Amino acid sequence: MAVIGLITKSQEPVPLQSISVDVAVQGFVADVVSELRYKNEEKATVEVTFVFPLDDEAAVYAFEGLIGGTRIEAQIREKKQAQQEYEDALSEGRGAFLLERETNTSDIFTCSLGNLPPDGEATLKLRYVQALAPEPDGAVRFVLPAVLNPRYTPQGSEGDTVTMGIPRVPRGKLPYTLSLCATLESSHGINRVESKCTLAPLRFTAEDRTAAQVSLAEGHQFDRDVELLIYYEDVHKPSAVLEAGKPGAAPGSLMGDPALLVTMYPSLRCASKPGLNATGEFIFLLDRSGSMGCSTDSSSSDAPPRIQSAKETLILLLKSLPLGCYFNIYGFGSTYNSFYLQSVEYTQQTMSESLQRVKDLQADLGGTEILQPLKAIYSQACREGHPCQLFVFTDGEVSNTEEVIAEVQHHGSSHRCFSFGIGEGASTALIKGIARAAGGSAEFITGKERMQAKALQSLKKALQPAATGISLRWDLPSGLEAVLVGSGPQVIFEGQRSLIYAQIRGQHQSSGASEGTVVLQYIFQDQTFTETMMFPLQAQESDRLPVHRLAAQALLQELEGTGEKDEVKRRQALETSLSSGVVCSQTAYVGLNTALGQPLQGPLIHRDVPLAYSMITINSQICHSGNRRSTTPLGIPIMSFNSGFGAPGSVFPSPPLDSFGDVDMCYGLGALGSGFAGPPLDTFDACSFYEEAPTPKKEEPPLLRLVSLQNAAGSWVLDSGLADLLGLSETEISSKAPGQVTPNVWATVLAILWLHSKASEQSDEWQLLEAKALRWLQGNAGPWLADCVKTGNAMLGSSVSPHTFGL
């Protein structure tokens, strides 16, 4: 069995020795310092390249190095200028380092360190700041991403993504170490911290539990995302921070004036109960590329494949849709298809048909071509009175991120988009970008998290009518003016935070008021609502200026996120990036050692820092559905996949990488001694090159069994399936039905009682389908409902309150 991604056959050493990370979390803002330590143990001067992921919303604002005892602060430049200065320094024999963002996506960075001499040591420090969002359960989530899956390059696109060339090593074999320490502060009080990684015990540093420290346990390998879930005592409390401007920066500029960050949690108090009277058109777009056959948790052997988790979620969503709406389901990979030519009305027949087809779906469509199915969806005419809601489920492994976001943005006024990133390494740029572009929300599902709860949370948002007429009003003392940074809140959902960034211009008179006020106003279901937040006008001093950097990042995302070639916006983005120090697609950081070295003689030895590789068993069968290239036969065995093809030392004839255009890159290329034999690539279209591992058929979870039995209108039928789930016989259940109640009413009451008594911890997943069931009972139970609840509780040994049924 060959190992994928070793740097060369002779296993040259990796100059990166360790990564240490310090995180300072204050409320909902994380300020991060990552320190990379290098040592060249070779006998020649080397250049080291490290490609790594960051969250799409991270604002990188500083880069510095310590090389040979000399501290060098990198300067932000236009990207081409920075690249040229770096190359010139290398050719002159001087030490240099470069940090740049990938051109077509905002969540991949490349750090290059050049001219590191034999036995030379260097330390590079990267600083970034990021706003943290509460999860549905109230946890504030910080993620240090480690997993960077190869990004699929669509057919017809020029060049390869930078992720294709990253060497890979098996999990647990990384040649560098990771340490992380987090300092937490919150005026709300800190309850606890949870993580999938092993942590040292949480240590409170303040008696009132408003400050604490936590760190990774020793020996952690940087082969999986590091996630901290921080639970505050009162996470949904509005807050405001006014930060003083940068000393020396020009008054009137973004960095020179005080910057304000206001966090609000609008409450749509008049909202009707979700799922009762809602209409709409619901489009579900499901990634069926080969990488969806990967496990949802690569560190666990019993985690389900991503496609299985997505299918179970889709079943719950289908069952939770309201009668009278329209829906359709699309699957995509190298090609795409849909259940129906156009959306169909949600009825018992269409739901049952779709349910069966969902259960048969596989991760068998090859690559990740998401743009074409999106265009097909947008080509369909909108249904009057049925606002379109698009749900996208993907592991996000695409390289044409900006093109996809631009397509969604172009149709943003006609629909809302709710996106789900599945598994570690899902592109935050893609998942968050398409949700921002179409006024929806983004969720990420990693490890053993259940996708269902987050998907149902998004469906509740989709069933809410859109808030309109969103505006802001400021009340400030004379001499001060608030200028919004960016366009402000564009979307409002019940209980979801709204971030507002503003620049406070002018001079505050000491005799004036000590507080300012911002009023958020919006219209919901023909009623006008306002949310008011007061904030102190005494600006806080901060040398790192996190609020200013976050405001700049929010503005840059707005200026660059549309995909339009607007010269005015491009120029404004460049000026904002250069003045704030926050990297964008047009800028990069470059650090140069001014001490002259010896001019470079011959080629500089290049070393790439490897990333961890998921070791997953797959069935690598081939589907002969096309013959687009050319010719020799290929026999591929079922294998434990830490091997690839086309690498030095492999039996495979090693064609150029771009000939793999249709292969979904979940598992990477470039194994040593991969042992492939037989004919060339062209006898197949990669529609099933990466199929999910054959797993033993597991019994359907009880909740999913019950959900599958529910009718479209919300009722259950009294049959053997329901009886088996309840642990009783049909005869016994029927004999205990009170009065003249119909079997369907009796069965529906029992199903609701079972949900509350046996699946209460998963209530987020079944609240919408319960709402349908209760509505059906209101119209069909007649006078027998109270008796059914009492008798059902006695029969099932439950104690569900009659209030649950509206009694």
Side-chain angles (χ1 to χ4, degrees):
M1 189 162 60
V3 175
I4 196 165
L6 296 176
I7 302 174
T8 68
K9 291 173 71 175
S10 57
Q11 311 224 344
E12 290 103 342
V14 177
L16 180 62
Q17 303 281 300
S18 66
I19 303 173
S20 62
V21 181
D22 285 311
V23 186
V25 178
Q26 289 188 299
F28 300 95
V29 176
D31 203 338
V32 184
V33 181
S34 290
E35 190 173 273
L36 313 175
R37 295 188 183 92
Y38 296 85
K39 183 176 182 180
N40 181 11
E41 297 178 340
E42 300 188 62
K43 295 180 179 180
T45 300
V46 300
E47 178 189 28
V48 191
T49 299
F50 182 31
V51 179
F52 59 94
L54 280 182
D55 190 276
D56 161 73
E57 295 177 344
V60 175
Y61 67 86
F63 193 42
E64 63 182 62
L66 184 66
I67 302 178
T70 303
R71 182 181 175 277
I72 303 168
E73 186 172 343
Q75 303 298 313
I76 192 167
R77 301 273 193 262
E78 283 197 62
K79 185 180 284 188
K80 287 183 179 179
Q81 179 185 349
Q83 292 168 339
Q84 188 61 54
E85 289 182 11
Y86 176 77
E87 294 297 333
D88 290 346
L90 295 196
S91 65
E92 294 168 2
R94 292 187 286 147
F97 49 95
L98 179 73
L99 178 73
E100 55 188 325
R101 202 189 85 184
E102 179 78 341
T103 302
N104 294 320
T105 185
S106 58
D107 61 349
I108 300 177
F109 284 76
T110 299
C111 173
S112 301
L113 170 63
N115 280 340
L116 188 62
D119 295 320
E121 296 185 16
T123 299
L124 302 183
K125 279 188 179 180
L126 164 75
R127 298 179 187 270
Y128 67 91
V129 65
Q130 179 182 346
L132 306 179
E135 294 284 283
D137 68 351
V140 175
R141 181 174 183 256
F142 168 78
V143 177
L144 179 70
V147 179
L148 178 55
N149 296 323
R151 302 282 171 89
Y152 174 82
T153 304
Q155 271 198 308
S157 298
E158 295 183 5
D160 288 320
T161 165
V162 68
T163 61
M164 299 288 280
I166 302 172
R168 307 276 170 169
V169 298
R171 284 184 180 271
K173 300 295 184 181
L174 283 174
Y176 49 90
T177 61
L178 170 73
S179 62
L180 179 144
C181 181
T183 302
L184 316 175
E185 291 183 21
S186 172
S187 58
H188 305 310
I190 300 161
N191 183 294
R192 67 188 189 278
V193 177
E194 296 179 358
S195 177
K196 293 178 293 184
C197 305
T198 304
L199 301 177
L202 180 68
R203 183 169 65 88
F204 288 100
T205 55
E207 290 186 4
D208 59 359
R209 298 169 71 102
T210 57
Q213 284 187 340
V214 69
S215 59
L216 278 176
E218 288 188 15
H220 181 86
Q221 275 267 325
F222 199 32
D223 56 6
R224 66 181 67 91
D225 292 350
V226 178
E227 180 183 71
L228 298 179
L229 295 173
I230 306 162
Y231 290 84
Y232 295 143
E233 295 295 347
D234 187 4
V235 74
H236 291 107
K237 188 176 181 180
S239 61
V241 179
L242 183 64
E243 182 178 86
K246 183 179 181 181
S253 67
L254 175 58
M255 299 304 291
D257 286 335
L260 176 70
L261 167 58
V262 177
T263 305
M264 288 186 167
Y265 292 89
S267 176
L268 307 178
R269 292 175 293 272
C270 71
S272 59
K273 195 167 183 179
L276 298 186
N277 300 306
T279 58
E281 181 181 16
F282 298 87
I283 308 294
F284 302 101
L285 179 58
L286 177 64
D287 189 342
R288 290 175 54 195
S289 63
S291 55
M292 286 290 286
C294 296
S295 168
T296 53
D297 183 2
S298 53
S299 64
S300 172
S301 60
D302 62 349
R306 298 171 186 173
I307 189 69
Q308 182 61 33
S309 184
K311 286 160 57 175
E312 291 182 10
T313 303
L314 201 46
I315 290 171
L316 274 171
L317 289 169
L318 271 175
K319 290 291 187 174
S320 301
L321 292 178
L323 277 177
C325 74
Y326 287 78
F327 77 101
N328 203 351
I329 298 171
Y330 285 74
F332 72 92
S334 298
T335 59
Y336 70 91
N337 53 42
S338 62
F339 282 15
Y340 306 99
L341 291 176
Q342 59 184 14
S343 298
V344 295
E345 186 176 354
Y346 181 74
T347 64
Q348 180 62 37
Q349 181 179 344
T350 57
M351 185 205 71
S352 297
E353 290 174 356
S354 300
L355 196 65
Q356 188 55 52
R357 294 179 69 176
V358 166
K359 291 180 179 179
D360 294 337
L361 294 177
Q362 301 296 328
D364 56 2
L365 290 185
T368 314
E369 299 266 6
I370 191 173
L371 188 59
Q372 293 309 314
L374 283 172
K375 289 182 175 180
I377 289 168
Y378 295 141
S379 69
Q380 300 275 350
C382 296
R383 291 183 176 274
E384 188 173 349
H386 291 273
C388 183
Q389 318 283 352
L390 174 63
F391 287 73
V392 179
F393 298 87
T394 178
D395 56 20
E397 296 174 11
V398 300
S399 64
N400 60 336
T401 302
E402 289 191 351
E403 193 177 0
V404 173
I405 294 172
E407 182 68 19
V408 176
Q409 172 93 27
H410 183 65
H411 299 276
S413 61
S414 62
H415 77 301
R416 289 190 289 185
C417 179
F418 300 87
S419 54
F420 303 86
I422 305 170
E424 291 185 330
S427 168
T428 57
L430 177 71
I431 304 304
K432 292 184 177 182
I434 58 176
R436 269 196 309 266
S441 61
E443 298 286 358
F444 292 87
I445 298 95
T446 60
K448 294 183 179 179
E449 277 186 300
R450 286 182 64 79
M451 190 189 310
Q452 292 85 337
K454 291 188 174 183
L456 269 295
Q457 188 88 4
S458 293
L459 181 57
K460 290 175 187 176
K461 295 173 184 175
L463 291 170
Q464 291 177 16
T468 59
I470 303 172
S471 64
L472 290 170
R473 188 174 72 252
W474 301 89
D475 183 9
L476 297 171
S478 176
L480 292 182
E481 175 192 13
V483 179
L484 199 62
V485 178
S487 55
Q490 302 297 300
V491 182
I492 290 178
F493 293 116
E494 168 67 28
Q496 181 170 303
R497 70 167 188 173
S498 292
L499 295 182
I500 301 165
Y501 295 101
Q503 183 179 337
I504 306 298
R505 291 180 175 170
Q507 291 294 323
H508 180 218
Q509 306 299 321
S510 57
S511 59
S514 60
E515 289 187 323
T517 303
V518 58
V519 180
L520 173 65
Q521 181 173 298
Y522 50 93
I523 300 170
F524 184 76
Q525 293 184 334
D526 299 324
Q527 294 188 46
T528 299
F529 291 86
T530 59
E531 307 281 343
T532 302
M533 180 70 196
M534 301 183 73
F535 54 91
L537 292 173
Q538 182 62 44
Q540 302 176 11
E541 302 285 342
S542 173
D543 57 345
R544 293 188 184 179
L545 301 168
V547 174
H548 284 77
R549 316 287 191 188
L550 289 172
Q553 174 73 347
L555 180 58
L556 287 169
Q557 282 184 327
E558 204 165 289
L559 293 171
E560 294 194 318
T562 61
E564 300 173 5
K565 304 301 180 185
D566 186 315
E567 184 59 29
V568 174
K569 287 185 177 181
R570 193 196 72 82
R571 190 70 210 170
Q572 187 182 351
L574 177 61
E575 291 172 356
T576 301
S577 177
L578 293 174
S579 65
S580 66
V582 176
V583 174
C584 73
S585 64
Q586 304 175 64
T587 57
Y589 270 102
V590 62
L592 308 172
N593 191 343
T594 55
L596 286 175
Q598 294 297 318
L600 192 62
Q601 302 294 323
L604 183 65
I605 295 176
H606 188 91
R607 294 286 177 257
D608 290 313
V609 175
L611 297 178
Y613 188 82
S614 298
M615 312 226 335
I616 301 166
T617 303
I618 63 167
N619 179 349
S620 298
Q621 294 178 346
I622 302 301
C623 114
H624 298 267
S625 63
N627 206 5
R628 278 190 256 183
R629 300 191 185 95
S630 54
T631 64
T632 59
L634 180 64
I636 297 184
I638 296 177
M639 60 191 169
S640 181
F641 203 91
N642 36 346
S643 58
F645 55 87
S650 67
V651 180
F652 198 84
S654 197
L657 287 180
D658 58 7
S659 65
F660 295 92
D662 285 346
V663 179
D664 185 84
M665 295 305 302
C666 171
Y667 307 98
L669 301 170
L672 297 171
S674 53
F676 279 97
L681 304 174
D682 299 349
T683 54
F684 67 93
D685 183 353
C687 57
S688 66
F689 184 78
Y690 295 116
E691 291 188 355
E692 67 227 66
T695 53
K697 190 163 178 119
K698 294 183 179 178
E699 186 178 345
E700 217 171 32
L703 176 59
L704 194 62
R705 285 169 57 197
L706 182 71
V707 168
S708 298
L709 295 172
Q710 188 185 28
N711 291 323
S715 64
W716 273 266
V717 174
L718 183 50
D719 59 12
S720 59
L722 180 62
D724 288 344
L725 186 71
L726 298 177
L728 301 166
S729 68
E730 281 186 74
T731 304
E732 185 179 0
I733 295 172
S734 298
S735 66
K736 293 187 178 180
Q740 303 300 312
V741 68
T742 64
N744 281 16
V745 168
W746 180 222
T748 302
V749 169
L750 293 176
I752 294 173
L753 293 175
W754 186 94
L755 287 172
H756 282 271
S757 60
K758 301 295 185 182
S760 58
E761 291 184 357
Q762 295 164 260
S763 60
D764 283 348
E765 300 177 21
W766 49 256
Q767 282 177 350
L768 290 176
L769 58 88
E770 181 201 29
K772 279 206 303 185
L774 291 174
R775 187 187 185 200
W776 183 87
L777 283 175
Q778 288 170 7
N780 294 274
W784 304 106
L785 184 55
D787 286 344
C788 286
V789 174
K790 182 179 179 181
T791 306
N793 269 327
M795 187 172 73
L796 299 180
S798 56
S799 56
V800 180
S801 169
H803 293 297
T804 299
F805 294 82
L807 298 172

